[in-house]
Amino acid sequence: MTTSPEQQKTLYRHLLLTRLLEERMVSLYRQGKMTGGLFRCLGQEATAVGTAFALEEGDLLVPIIRDLGATLVRGARPVDILRQVMTKADAPARGRDGFLHFCLPEKGLYSAIAMLGTAVSVVAGMVLADRYLGKRTVGMTYLGEGGTSTGAFHEGINFAAVQKLPLVVVLEFNRYSYSTPSEMQCGAATLADKAAGYGVASAIVDGNDVLAVVEAARRAVAWARAGNGPFLLECKTYRRKGHAEHDGQAYVDAEELAEWTRRDPIARFERHLDAAGVMDAAAREAVRADIDAELDAAVAEAEASPAPVPDPEFRGVRADEEAAVRRRAETFVGGLR
Ligand SMILES: Cc1ncc(C[n+]2csc(CCOP(=O)(O)OP(=O)(O)O)c2C)c(N)n1
């Protein structure tokens, strides 16, 4: 299945939106307006955008910290993401948490799970439940190379393999886990090699080539949906920033970083769009201007959003909500209500 010119334009918008939204977040972070850490995906946008693009409506997606692009492809609005990272009262998590727990279940987008690897068995359970309900849902989740060294990953993928569950695990090989280079925490030559131990299918794709990622992800999703069991899709990419914004990445070789900057996935796709006559520089500039305007409005709206008050902290966590809110309010913040 080829990716039509219209789809390529959509992909371009998602890639650029991911990068520009992240730049807005960096600015908010530096102004002290963001809550918690900022985990960037600079250089990895094509992996998250391309893989999520291969899913269909009704499918499930559980991202991790570097999958802002997948979250946007699933239909998240920048203003809601900004409200969430600024822990505003009208964010989807109502000010309880930041980006990690952004989720829109109605769009098949669930929140990341902090314990690396755990999402594999959780998503396996979700698609197993859908199978019982007679749905042909595919679940997609993501892991870095460090995440594939956890016990949870192995338990989850083994269970999914035995049950032949429609699960696609995108392995984002981005060279570092925190400050640990890949060869210091993984003995296998490639992450895809791990699939053989479980009788699971796998492939490796250039994670900086968005069209190649879309193609590979479509094949993985089709394989899983057809009842063949899970698929491990290794996307070779590179984390151009430290683990989080506070990490100065002193452990990274400058020449290595420069080399991967030259391999930037967005600049590369722009060259393709030019050569294929899909979008010229002027058309791309128009997209950028449109996104800039959208983000100006989104930042202003999110900044103007109300801060949470303690009361909602107790809401939505118990069935007998009123009684629970009253009891906890009396216990912890006496006199709140
Ligand atoms: C089970 C578990 N161990 C440790 C951590 C702490 N931790 C969070 S992110 C991270 C590094 C992850 O590296 P990798 O999986 O390669 O993903 P990347 O950050 O490179 O995208 C670690 C060790 C965790 N969240 N969960």
Side-chain angles (χ1 to χ4, degrees):
M1 196 170 151
T2 55
T3 303
S4 70
E6 278 318 300
Q7 289 175 318
Q8 293 186 34
K9 289 178 190 171
T10 307
L11 281 171
Y12 182 64
R13 194 176 199 287
H14 283 307
L15 288 172
L16 201 57
L17 179 60
T18 305
R19 180 154 301 174
L20 298 180
L21 175 57
E22 189 177 270
E23 285 172 7
R24 299 292 179 126
M25 289 201 256
V26 171
S27 160
L28 292 167
Y29 179 85
R30 291 188 183 154
Q31 294 172 63
K33 291 177 178 169
M34 245 190 82
T35 314
L38 172 56
F39 305 93
R40 296 191 58 181
C41 62
L42 182 70
Q44 297 183 219
E45 295 92 342
T47 291
V49 166
T51 47
F53 199 74
L55 291 178
E56 291 173 12
E57 219 182 305
D59 288 338
L60 311 167
L61 186 138
V62 175
I64 48 169
I65 47 178
R66 317 227 183 261
D67 301 317
L68 175 62
T71 300
L72 292 167
V73 169
R74 260 348 246 172
R77 298 188 317 154
V79 64
D80 289 327
I81 292 173
L82 290 167
R83 284 178 173 138
Q84 182 94 353
V85 299
M86 288 194 266
T87 52
K88 297 290 189 157
D90 52 3
R94 288 181 276 165
R96 289 192 179 104
D97 205 354
F99 182 65
L100 192 69
H101 293 128
F102 183 90
C103 91
L104 300 170
E106 67 281 8
K107 292 186 190 292
L109 175 69
Y110 297 86
S111 69
I113 299 176
M115 303 315 296
L116 297 173
T118 307
V120 176
S121 40
V122 171
V123 183
M126 291 163 87
V127 289
L128 179 61
D130 273 356
R131 182 197 279 173
Y132 281 125
L133 295 172
K135 298 186 197 164
R136 301 188 67 222
T137 314
V138 170
M140 181 178 277
T141 189
Y142 298 77
L143 271 184
E145 66 271 23
T148 67
S149 298
T150 62
F153 163 73
H154 296 282
E155 291 170 18
I157 199 70
N158 185 61
F159 176 76
V162 168
Q163 295 286 336
K164 286 215 174 304
L165 294 173
L167 173 71
V168 176
V169 184
V170 178
L171 305 177
E172 300 173 294
F173 182 98
N174 66 4
R175 185 74 183 100
Y176 294 96
S177 308
Y178 256 111
S179 52
T180 307
S182 43
E183 67 274 9
M184 288 183 72
Q185 57 82 30
C186 175
T190 73
L191 300 180
D193 280 352
K194 300 189 182 193
Y198 300 100
V200 165
S202 66
I204 301 177
V205 66
D206 180 341
N208 281 23
D209 178 347
V210 72
L211 293 180
V213 173
V214 172
E215 285 293 302
R218 280 179 178 148
R219 280 197 296 274
V221 167
W223 168 272
R225 203 181 315 274
N228 296 306
F231 198 102
L232 294 185
L233 179 61
E234 177 174 359
C235 297
K236 297 279 194 197
T237 184
Y238 188 84
R239 195 192 74 198
R240 288 198 351 235
K241 284 288 170 181
H243 173 68
E245 203 50 14
H246 59 258
D247 170 6
Q249 63 184 153
Y251 48 87
V252 170
D253 174 66
E255 188 35 50
E256 178 186 275
L257 184 57
E259 170 56 24
W260 281 93
T261 304
R262 286 191 285 277
R263 295 193 215 172
D264 181 76
I266 300 183
R268 176 177 176 169
F269 193 45
E270 286 174 345
R271 288 194 293 276
H272 160 82
L273 294 170
D274 257 334
V278 176
M279 269 180 120
D280 60 15
R284 296 198 304 270
E285 209 33 65
V287 172
R288 180 181 286 264
D290 188 57
I291 293 174
D292 275 336
E294 181 186 354
L295 293 179
D296 283 345
V299 169
E301 227 182 300
E303 290 214 53
S305 284
V309 289
D311 181 84
E313 290 297 321
F314 306 124
R315 293 194 179 276
V317 290
R318 293 275 296 265
D320 56 341
E321 188 169 89
E322 275 312 313
V325 167
R326 225 174 304 110
R327 201 164 46 247
R328 290 180 65 82
E330 278 157 14
T331 312
F332 296 110
V333 278
L336 182 72
R337 288 177 65 86

